Short mmCIF file of all heavy atoms in Angstrom, two decimals:
data_model
loop_
_atom_site.label_atom_id
_atom_site.label_comp_id
_atom_site.label_asym_id
_atom_site.label_seq_id
_atom_site.Cartn_x
_atom_site.Cartn_y
_atom_site.Cartn_z
N ALA F 1 -66.57 194.81 -51.37
CA ALA F 1 -65.72 194.02 -52.30
C ALA F 1 -66.59 193.25 -53.29
O ALA F 1 -66.06 192.47 -54.10
CB ALA F 1 -64.86 193.05 -51.47
N GLU F 2 -67.90 193.44 -53.27
CA GLU F 2 -68.82 192.82 -54.19
C GLU F 2 -68.88 191.29 -54.11
O GLU F 2 -69.01 190.61 -55.12
CB GLU F 2 -68.57 193.28 -55.64
CG GLU F 2 -68.70 194.76 -55.84
CD GLU F 2 -68.62 195.21 -57.27
OE1 GLU F 2 -69.54 194.89 -58.06
OE2 GLU F 2 -67.65 195.93 -57.65
N LEU F 3 -68.78 190.82 -52.88
CA LEU F 3 -68.91 189.38 -52.64
C LEU F 3 -70.27 188.85 -53.09
O LEU F 3 -70.44 187.66 -53.33
CB LEU F 3 -68.62 189.04 -51.18
CG LEU F 3 -68.53 187.55 -50.85
CD1 LEU F 3 -67.30 186.95 -51.46
CD2 LEU F 3 -68.49 187.33 -49.31
N GLY F 4 -71.20 189.80 -53.14
CA GLY F 4 -72.56 189.39 -53.54
C GLY F 4 -72.65 188.68 -54.87
O GLY F 4 -73.56 187.89 -55.08
N LYS F 5 -71.69 188.88 -55.75
CA LYS F 5 -71.71 188.24 -57.06
C LYS F 5 -71.68 186.69 -56.92
O LYS F 5 -72.30 185.98 -57.69
CB LYS F 5 -70.49 188.70 -57.87
CG LYS F 5 -70.62 190.09 -58.45
CD LYS F 5 -69.37 190.46 -59.22
CE LYS F 5 -69.49 191.85 -59.87
NZ LYS F 5 -70.41 191.79 -61.03
N SER F 6 -71.01 186.21 -55.89
CA SER F 6 -70.97 184.74 -55.65
C SER F 6 -71.84 184.38 -54.46
O SER F 6 -72.51 183.35 -54.45
CB SER F 6 -69.53 184.25 -55.43
OG SER F 6 -68.88 184.97 -54.37
N PHE F 7 -71.91 185.25 -53.43
CA PHE F 7 -72.64 184.91 -52.21
C PHE F 7 -74.14 184.84 -52.46
O PHE F 7 -74.84 184.00 -51.91
CB PHE F 7 -72.32 185.93 -51.14
CG PHE F 7 -72.78 185.53 -49.76
CD1 PHE F 7 -72.63 184.21 -49.29
CD2 PHE F 7 -73.37 186.49 -48.88
CE1 PHE F 7 -73.00 183.88 -48.02
CE2 PHE F 7 -73.76 186.13 -47.64
CZ PHE F 7 -73.62 184.79 -47.13
N ALA F 8 -74.65 185.70 -53.33
CA ALA F 8 -76.10 185.64 -53.69
C ALA F 8 -76.44 184.33 -54.31
O ALA F 8 -77.53 183.74 -54.06
CB ALA F 8 -76.45 186.80 -54.60
N GLN F 9 -75.54 183.79 -55.15
CA GLN F 9 -75.78 182.45 -55.75
C GLN F 9 -75.80 181.38 -54.68
O GLN F 9 -76.63 180.45 -54.74
CB GLN F 9 -74.66 182.10 -56.72
CG GLN F 9 -74.72 182.90 -58.02
CD GLN F 9 -73.56 182.48 -58.93
OE1 GLN F 9 -72.50 183.13 -59.01
NE2 GLN F 9 -73.76 181.39 -59.64
N MET F 10 -74.95 181.50 -53.70
CA MET F 10 -74.92 180.53 -52.60
C MET F 10 -76.27 180.53 -51.83
O MET F 10 -76.84 179.50 -51.49
CB MET F 10 -73.81 180.83 -51.61
CG MET F 10 -72.42 180.56 -52.14
SD MET F 10 -72.04 178.77 -52.11
CE MET F 10 -71.90 178.52 -50.29
N ILE F 11 -76.82 181.75 -51.61
CA ILE F 11 -78.11 181.87 -50.92
C ILE F 11 -79.22 181.31 -51.77
O ILE F 11 -80.03 180.50 -51.27
CB ILE F 11 -78.36 183.36 -50.60
CG1 ILE F 11 -77.32 183.89 -49.57
CG2 ILE F 11 -79.79 183.55 -50.07
CD1 ILE F 11 -77.34 185.41 -49.37
N ARG F 12 -79.28 181.65 -53.05
CA ARG F 12 -80.34 181.13 -53.89
C ARG F 12 -80.29 179.63 -54.07
O ARG F 12 -81.29 178.96 -54.25
CB ARG F 12 -80.25 181.79 -55.30
CG ARG F 12 -80.71 183.25 -55.36
CD ARG F 12 -80.89 183.71 -56.79
NE ARG F 12 -79.65 183.76 -57.47
CZ ARG F 12 -78.79 184.80 -57.55
NH1 ARG F 12 -79.07 185.87 -56.84
NH2 ARG F 12 -77.65 184.69 -58.22
N SER F 13 -79.03 179.07 -53.94
CA SER F 13 -78.87 177.61 -54.07
C SER F 13 -79.11 176.85 -52.80
O SER F 13 -78.97 175.63 -52.81
CB SER F 13 -77.44 177.31 -54.62
OG SER F 13 -77.18 177.93 -55.86
N GLY F 14 -79.52 177.55 -51.76
CA GLY F 14 -79.85 176.87 -50.49
C GLY F 14 -78.62 176.38 -49.75
O GLY F 14 -78.76 175.49 -48.87
N LYS F 15 -77.46 176.99 -50.00
CA LYS F 15 -76.23 176.56 -49.29
C LYS F 15 -75.88 177.40 -48.09
O LYS F 15 -74.80 177.26 -47.49
CB LYS F 15 -75.09 176.47 -50.32
CG LYS F 15 -75.36 175.48 -51.44
CD LYS F 15 -74.22 175.42 -52.40
CE LYS F 15 -74.54 174.58 -53.64
NZ LYS F 15 -74.90 173.19 -53.31
N VAL F 16 -76.72 178.38 -47.79
CA VAL F 16 -76.60 179.24 -46.60
C VAL F 16 -77.92 179.25 -45.89
O VAL F 16 -78.97 179.53 -46.54
CB VAL F 16 -76.19 180.67 -47.02
CG1 VAL F 16 -76.01 181.56 -45.81
CG2 VAL F 16 -74.93 180.66 -47.86
N ASP F 17 -77.92 179.00 -44.58
CA ASP F 17 -79.18 178.91 -43.83
C ASP F 17 -79.36 180.08 -42.87
O ASP F 17 -80.52 180.39 -42.56
CB ASP F 17 -79.21 177.61 -43.06
CG ASP F 17 -79.18 176.45 -43.97
OD1 ASP F 17 -80.20 176.14 -44.61
OD2 ASP F 17 -78.12 175.75 -44.05
N ILE F 18 -78.32 180.74 -42.49
CA ILE F 18 -78.38 181.86 -41.58
C ILE F 18 -77.08 182.66 -41.76
O ILE F 18 -76.01 182.08 -42.04
CB ILE F 18 -78.63 181.45 -40.12
CG1 ILE F 18 -78.87 182.68 -39.22
CG2 ILE F 18 -77.51 180.57 -39.60
CD1 ILE F 18 -79.35 182.34 -37.84
N ILE F 19 -77.15 183.97 -41.61
CA ILE F 19 -75.99 184.86 -41.74
C ILE F 19 -75.81 185.66 -40.50
O ILE F 19 -76.77 186.10 -39.86
CB ILE F 19 -76.18 185.81 -42.95
CG1 ILE F 19 -76.32 184.99 -44.24
CG2 ILE F 19 -75.10 186.86 -43.03
CD1 ILE F 19 -76.80 185.82 -45.41
N SER F 20 -74.55 185.82 -40.10
CA SER F 20 -74.16 186.85 -39.11
C SER F 20 -73.25 187.86 -39.79
O SER F 20 -72.25 187.43 -40.43
CB SER F 20 -73.44 186.17 -37.93
OG SER F 20 -72.96 187.19 -37.04
N CYS F 21 -73.65 189.11 -39.74
CA CYS F 21 -72.76 190.11 -40.43
C CYS F 21 -72.69 191.40 -39.68
O CYS F 21 -73.55 191.68 -38.81
CB CYS F 21 -73.25 190.37 -41.88
SG CYS F 21 -74.81 191.29 -41.98
N THR F 22 -71.70 192.17 -39.96
CA THR F 22 -71.59 193.48 -39.38
C THR F 22 -72.67 194.41 -40.01
O THR F 22 -73.18 194.11 -41.09
CB THR F 22 -70.21 194.12 -39.66
OG1 THR F 22 -70.04 194.12 -41.07
CG2 THR F 22 -69.16 193.31 -38.98
N GLY F 23 -73.01 195.47 -39.31
CA GLY F 23 -73.96 196.42 -39.86
C GLY F 23 -73.46 197.05 -41.17
O GLY F 23 -74.26 197.34 -42.02
N ALA F 24 -72.14 197.17 -41.28
CA ALA F 24 -71.58 197.72 -42.52
C ALA F 24 -71.90 196.79 -43.70
O ALA F 24 -72.29 197.24 -44.79
CB ALA F 24 -70.08 197.91 -42.33
N ASN F 25 -71.68 195.50 -43.53
CA ASN F 25 -71.96 194.57 -44.66
C ASN F 25 -73.44 194.54 -44.99
O ASN F 25 -73.83 194.38 -46.17
CB ASN F 25 -71.47 193.20 -44.30
CG ASN F 25 -70.00 193.00 -44.64
OD1 ASN F 25 -69.57 193.13 -45.75
ND2 ASN F 25 -69.20 192.72 -43.62
N LEU F 26 -74.32 194.70 -43.96
CA LEU F 26 -75.75 194.71 -44.18
C LEU F 26 -76.16 195.82 -45.12
O LEU F 26 -76.90 195.68 -46.04
CB LEU F 26 -76.46 194.87 -42.86
CG LEU F 26 -77.99 194.70 -42.86
CD1 LEU F 26 -78.37 193.20 -42.94
CD2 LEU F 26 -78.58 195.28 -41.57
N GLU F 27 -75.59 197.02 -44.85
CA GLU F 27 -76.01 198.21 -45.63
C GLU F 27 -75.24 198.43 -46.89
O GLU F 27 -75.74 198.88 -47.90
CB GLU F 27 -75.90 199.46 -44.75
CG GLU F 27 -74.43 199.78 -44.37
CD GLU F 27 -74.35 200.77 -43.16
OE1 GLU F 27 -75.37 200.94 -42.45
OE2 GLU F 27 -73.30 201.35 -42.98
N GLU F 28 -73.93 197.98 -46.88
CA GLU F 28 -73.12 198.30 -48.02
C GLU F 28 -73.44 197.48 -49.25
O GLU F 28 -73.14 197.94 -50.41
CB GLU F 28 -71.61 198.19 -47.69
CG GLU F 28 -71.17 199.36 -46.78
CD GLU F 28 -69.74 199.21 -46.25
OE1 GLU F 28 -69.01 198.37 -46.74
OE2 GLU F 28 -69.41 199.94 -45.34
N ASP F 29 -74.06 196.29 -49.13
CA ASP F 29 -74.53 195.60 -50.27
C ASP F 29 -75.61 196.41 -50.97
O ASP F 29 -75.62 196.47 -52.20
CB ASP F 29 -75.02 194.22 -49.90
CG ASP F 29 -75.58 193.45 -51.07
OD1 ASP F 29 -74.74 192.84 -51.78
OD2 ASP F 29 -76.79 193.45 -51.27
N ILE F 30 -76.50 196.99 -50.19
CA ILE F 30 -77.58 197.78 -50.78
C ILE F 30 -77.06 199.07 -51.37
O ILE F 30 -77.52 199.54 -52.43
CB ILE F 30 -78.67 198.03 -49.73
CG1 ILE F 30 -79.16 196.74 -49.10
CG2 ILE F 30 -79.88 198.75 -50.37
CD1 ILE F 30 -80.16 196.88 -47.99
N MET F 31 -76.05 199.68 -50.74
CA MET F 31 -75.44 200.89 -51.27
C MET F 31 -74.81 200.59 -52.65
O MET F 31 -74.95 201.39 -53.54
CB MET F 31 -74.36 201.38 -50.29
CG MET F 31 -74.91 201.92 -49.01
SD MET F 31 -73.59 202.43 -47.89
CE MET F 31 -74.51 202.87 -46.41
N ASN F 32 -74.15 199.47 -52.76
CA ASN F 32 -73.54 199.11 -54.04
C ASN F 32 -74.68 198.90 -55.10
O ASN F 32 -74.48 199.24 -56.27
CB ASN F 32 -72.72 197.81 -53.90
CG ASN F 32 -72.10 197.36 -55.20
OD1 ASN F 32 -71.29 198.12 -55.80
ND2 ASN F 32 -72.39 196.15 -55.62
N LEU F 33 -75.79 198.36 -54.66
CA LEU F 33 -76.93 198.15 -55.59
C LEU F 33 -77.45 199.45 -56.16
O LEU F 33 -77.78 199.57 -57.36
CB LEU F 33 -78.04 197.42 -54.83
CG LEU F 33 -79.40 197.21 -55.54
CD1 LEU F 33 -79.21 196.32 -56.75
CD2 LEU F 33 -80.40 196.61 -54.57
N VAL F 34 -77.51 200.50 -55.33
CA VAL F 34 -78.16 201.72 -55.76
C VAL F 34 -77.19 202.87 -56.17
O VAL F 34 -77.64 203.90 -56.69
CB VAL F 34 -79.10 202.30 -54.64
CG1 VAL F 34 -80.14 201.25 -54.27
CG2 VAL F 34 -78.31 202.75 -53.39
N ALA F 35 -75.93 202.68 -55.94
CA ALA F 35 -74.97 203.76 -56.24
C ALA F 35 -73.69 203.32 -56.91
O ALA F 35 -72.70 204.03 -56.87
CB ALA F 35 -74.67 204.52 -54.93
N HIS F 36 -73.71 202.16 -57.53
CA HIS F 36 -72.43 201.57 -58.05
C HIS F 36 -71.67 202.47 -58.99
O HIS F 36 -70.44 202.55 -58.87
CB HIS F 36 -72.80 200.24 -58.74
CG HIS F 36 -71.55 199.51 -59.23
ND1 HIS F 36 -70.74 198.85 -58.39
CD2 HIS F 36 -70.99 199.40 -60.48
CE1 HIS F 36 -69.76 198.30 -59.08
NE2 HIS F 36 -69.88 198.64 -60.34
N SER F 37 -72.36 203.19 -59.83
CA SER F 37 -71.64 204.01 -60.80
C SER F 37 -70.94 205.21 -60.18
O SER F 37 -70.06 205.87 -60.78
CB SER F 37 -72.62 204.49 -61.90
OG SER F 37 -73.56 205.41 -61.33
N HIS F 38 -71.35 205.53 -58.97
CA HIS F 38 -70.74 206.69 -58.25
C HIS F 38 -69.57 206.31 -57.36
O HIS F 38 -68.91 207.18 -56.80
CB HIS F 38 -71.82 207.39 -57.39
CG HIS F 38 -72.99 207.89 -58.19
ND1 HIS F 38 -72.94 209.11 -58.85
CD2 HIS F 38 -74.19 207.35 -58.47
CE1 HIS F 38 -74.11 209.32 -59.44
NE2 HIS F 38 -74.87 208.26 -59.22
N TYR F 39 -69.31 205.01 -57.22
CA TYR F 39 -68.18 204.55 -56.48
C TYR F 39 -66.90 204.96 -57.25
O TYR F 39 -66.92 205.00 -58.45
CB TYR F 39 -68.21 203.02 -56.33
CG TYR F 39 -69.05 202.53 -55.17
CD1 TYR F 39 -70.42 202.80 -55.17
CD2 TYR F 39 -68.52 201.77 -54.14
CE1 TYR F 39 -71.24 202.35 -54.12
CE2 TYR F 39 -69.32 201.32 -53.10
CZ TYR F 39 -70.69 201.58 -53.10
OH TYR F 39 -71.47 201.13 -52.08
#
């Protein structure tokens, strides 16, 4: 769902200290990074 657009800002701003996520969320952010035009 491309939450990274706002969540990455939260991380860079120091407002997130630790994350718990599913394996799907771990990999799918990187998949979106490298294959977005093919979605």
Side-chain angles (χ1 to χ4, degrees):
E2 298 188 68
L3 189 66
K5 286 178 177 287
S6 55
F7 192 42
Q9 288 181 262
M10 289 283 289
I11 293 169
R12 285 193 297 271
S13 299
K15 299 181 188 299
V16 180
D17 298 287
I18 186 169
I19 296 167
S20 172
C21 72
T22 58
N25 276 299
L26 187 78
E27 65 197 18
E28 287 175 12
D29 178 82
I30 306 175
M31 290 176 187
N32 181 57
L33 173 64
V34 302
H36 183 75
S37 68
H38 299 276
Y39 279 59

